[in-house]
Amino acid sequence: MDATPRFAPATLSTGGQSYCMVDLPGPFGADYARLPVVLRLLLENALRNMRGAERGNAVRALFDWLATGTSEAEIAFQPGRVLMHDTTSTPALVDIAAMRDALAEAGVDPAVLNPCLPVDVSVDHSLAVEAYARPDAARQNIGHEIRRNRERYRFLRWAAQALQGVRINPPGTGIMHTINLEQLATVVRVDTRDGQPWLVPDMMIGTDSHTPMVNGIGVLGWGVGGLEAQTVMFGMPTLLRIPDVIGVELTGALRPGVLATDLALTVTQRLRAMGVSGEFVEFFGPGVCSLSAGERAVVANMAPEYGATTGYFPVDDRTLAYLRQTGRPAQAIARARAYLRRAGLWFDPAARPRYTRTLHIALDSIGMHVAGPRRPQDLLGYRDIPGALRQQAPQPAGAPAALPRYPVAIAAITSCTNTTDPGLLMAAGLVARKARARGLQVPGWVKTSLGPGSPAAASYLRRAGLVDDLAAVGFDIVGYGCTTCIGNSGPLPEPIARAARAGDIRPVAMLSGNRNFPGRIHPDLDLGFLMSPPLVVAYALAGDAERDLGADPVGIAADGQPVYLQELWPTRDDVQACLDAGLDAADFRRDFQLAQRNPLWEQLDAPASPRFPWDPASTILRRPPFAAVDAGSLLGHYTAHPLLVVGDDITTDHISPASAIPPDSLVADFLVERGDDRHDLNVFASRRGNWEVMLRAAFHSKTLVNRLCPDAPVAHTLHVPSGQVLPLWEAAQRYRTAGDAVVLVAGERYGTGSSRDWAAKGQRLLGIRAVLALSFERIHRSNLIGMGILPLRLPAGLGPDALQLQPGDRIEIQAPANAIRPRCEVPVRIHRQHGPAQVFAARAAVETQLEVDLLAVGGVIPAILRDTLAEHGKAAAAR
Ligand code: SF4
């Protein structure tokens, strides 16, 4: 291998056109094929975007990786595009609007601040299931959504016209990851450099943890925090340590009746059991060929649930078949094939690249599974649900006659994960068809919903004749968005809500989502099982989560005969027949374009000015205080109060909830005092443009226990020295006024879950200078740094249980800016109010020099502002 690469581009002629490309495998010989495909893609990116010695170092480091399968070296990555959704984009775009204000106040033309990459925003996260089980449910829900979110959506329309490169896909166009698969992903794109057409792999990032779904069709992409996305949008590369790569070898084929969801849940459990945490995952082996690209995408989607950054499937003919199925131009497909073959990026089922670790999964060993009741990695056989429920405490007191003890309160076919693959929706429709034919009905207490990832689903389900069957058992389409998956499940049916409040029952959610953390689906639900769409339909019909569908009937037919699951379950041939009858490649583009012309959206008037005109009375959009040039670094040598002490598995849902704002909460009081209707406050996620609300929403979770005062009301803490239990923001304000620093202490996997940057922004607004945790989830760690907060890893065995922090204890941290390096030791001393001091070294959870630099200036936003002022400030001064 020539480790000092030349960089003369190669040329490739295809389709009558000549293109430049990075010369791969080029000078790298046999070692190139030993690299996992994901590292070959990072190599291509480095060769194309890096310069001089940096490029040589990156290439050497990538090939050095082959010796041990791991590396401490950093590599720069420059994606070609950014994907966002309405609730992560709103705060990012609010930050940009506020940065434009800061620039204008510094005498610089605000219009100079624009993203330098294409940014696609899907308005998908705010659709709630208010209307359901009725033919006009979708129309009602989208009307409701736009009415509720009018001000925020006007702001998005302002961003689309004021900021170059920002495209907004309006409500009704579908879920971002489905849109990415069906519309945006090119697999190989044509770039223009120095006037020449280049072929380059489509690589991207998204401000959503399920961005890896697109890895199912060979597009390398992963989820990042909104703050990291802002760095990329404004021209800084994202730096990553050359990743460890887990190879998952697939052999055999799924047995009849076993679906991609079952595989994804199995992969999740197996990889979590291996302790995967932030690694790249790549699938290899002959079993890959047995999976359609749609099935691969289901597995790729759940990468965050199995702890991975990506779950990559290289491209093969089945990928190209998917591109054809979704209406991509034949010329682009042929070009992609020619490029990937030439660049050594095409899938070879016989290849065994070098991986850091490997896992073997025999596809034919997998059965029908569910996961729950509280975590996606808790895999169960579908018959194990009753047993899992009987282990829950407290057991329900005893239901009124009409309700089971564990009623299925929500049965939702939801999420990009399981509504993008047409085969899964067809399977659900077939269960509905057979149930309808036998006269089965869904009990009245079950809230049913079908929220496909894109409007094309309605076309292919209708053509296959399944829309009426689904509707007959309550699964009318409720809209095209995240709905129940993100917690927008709407109110529970009243009999359920009443009986649950009385403790008579414990309602359960059965959903085809990817997460079931307590409170995620609905604030009053802490039991949820993830499963395939057809199993959701079966459980809706049963209505009773304690029913063993392997032994007991799903229901009683109109003729009085019991109907069992195996009678309803479709065969592979049934599903294939529906796919053959239903799929039409023309649907995907046409239905997307029709949905883009949503008249309710187009009627929203948008301000036409380079600066956004903030409304001082708004409870939705407020200029955030941290979008300032001089936000200030939080590094230093200080002694802090622990503001909160929490345990393991604190999720971003705990830290910054997305779900409904409880009408009896202090957050609700705050909004009502400012004129909002207590009974129409919408979800927390819809308020992410208002920092004053989000500050009060921080840690607003019923299931979060603050160990400083375990019995305190939600989002409260014990203030020292007053001894008062106060709302967090009020305690934080008192500490700030007194000039006292605060930190947070947590256990393992702090920040698990989504990419929401408000989880970090909320902590910044509370004044938290450092988070000390046993471990951090990857994206949240990055978001903390993006807000200037220092993440510190506690030594093993010195988590919250061992530290036993008490109110009045204080934590001294020596982290001056000039001492912080990637992964450096940071001296910590616990000053006990009662007892001797305790000294140990924590480790900075800081991976790169860029992260050190961000901490030194107080985070991403001041860094962008400083760069922009440096570039344009002189011109402004000269004027
Ligand atoms: S995982 Fe759920 S919330 Fe996230 S994008 Fe997909 S549907 Fe939306």
Side-chain angles (χ1 to χ4, degrees), residues 93-266:
L93 297 170
V94 162
D95 289 351
I96 295 173
M99 282 192 272
R100 280 191 163 194
D101 290 343
L103 289 175
E105 286 157 7
V108 169
D109 177 5
V112 299
L113 191 73
N114 289 293
C116 18
L117 291 180
V119 179
D120 280 283
V121 176
S122 281
V123 185
D124 57 359
H125 271 56
S126 302
L127 178 68
V129 186
E130 305 285 342
Y132 65 101
R134 48 189 291 169
D136 63 349
R139 191 169 54 76
Q140 292 228 7
N141 289 330
I142 199 169
H144 199 70
E145 175 195 351
I146 290 184
R147 183 182 58 74
R148 265 183 159 179
N149 295 285
R150 178 176 299 277
E151 187 179 346
R152 196 161 55 92
Y153 289 179
R154 281 182 68 242
F155 171 73
L156 291 178
R157 281 175 63 80
W158 166 81
Q161 61 81 22
L163 303 176
Q164 292 163 19
V166 175
R167 289 184 298 196
I168 309 277
N169 293 312
T173 50
I175 302 173
M176 59 191 298
H177 306 305
T178 312
I179 291 176
N180 199 14
L181 259 84
E182 294 179 356
Q183 309 293 333
L184 305 177
T186 53
V187 180
V188 173
R189 66 188 170 87
V190 180
D191 204 6
T192 303
R193 301 185 123 202
D194 305 325
Q196 297 291 320
W198 280 65
L199 293 180
V200 301
D202 182 11
M203 293 187 254
M204 45 87 58
I205 55 165
T207 55
D208 186 88
S209 50
H210 292 95
T211 303
M213 185 171 201
V214 78
N215 283 232
I217 59 168
V219 174
L220 183 62
W222 59 85
V224 299
L227 294 157
E228 194 174 340
Q230 284 183 43
T231 63
V232 171
M233 273 190 231
F234 289 99
M236 290 180 247
T238 181
L239 292 181
L240 67 154
R241 188 172 68 79
I242 295 177
D244 292 2
V245 184
I246 310 287
V248 178
E249 182 181 21
L250 301 180
T251 56
L254 294 174
R255 287 184 281 146
V258 176
L259 301 171
T261 316
D262 304 305
L263 171 60
L265 296 177
T266 302

Side-chain angles (χ1 to χ4, degrees), residues 740-766:
D740 290 344
V742 293
V743 296
L744 183 145
V745 179
E748 298 280 11
R749 296 171 293 276
Y750 184 70
T752 297
S754 75
S755 63
R756 71 191 57 149
D757 56 5
W758 258 106
K761 287 175 172 169
Q763 291 175 81
R764 169 93 195 201
L765 289 173
L766 287 170

Side-chain angles (χ1 to χ4, degrees), residues 85 124-125 175-178 208-211 213 301 304-305 414-420 451 453 481-487 513-515 520 754 756:
H85 59 72
D124 57 359
H125 271 56
I175 302 173
M176 59 191 298
H177 306 305
T178 312
D208 186 88
S209 50
H210 292 95
T211 303
M213 185 171 201
N301 175 290
E305 281 68 45
T414 182
S415 86
C416 50
T417 319
N418 286 303
T419 69
T420 304
C482 299
T483 61
T484 302
C485 181
I486 191 62
N514 45 51
R515 288 180 179 153
R520 176 175 170 99
S754 75
R756 71 191 57 149

Side-chain angles (χ1 to χ4, degrees), residues 521-533:
I521 303 309
H522 188 284
D524 295 333
L525 281 186
D526 71 342
L527 300 172
F529 292 92
L530 309 178
M531 58 186 65
S532 66

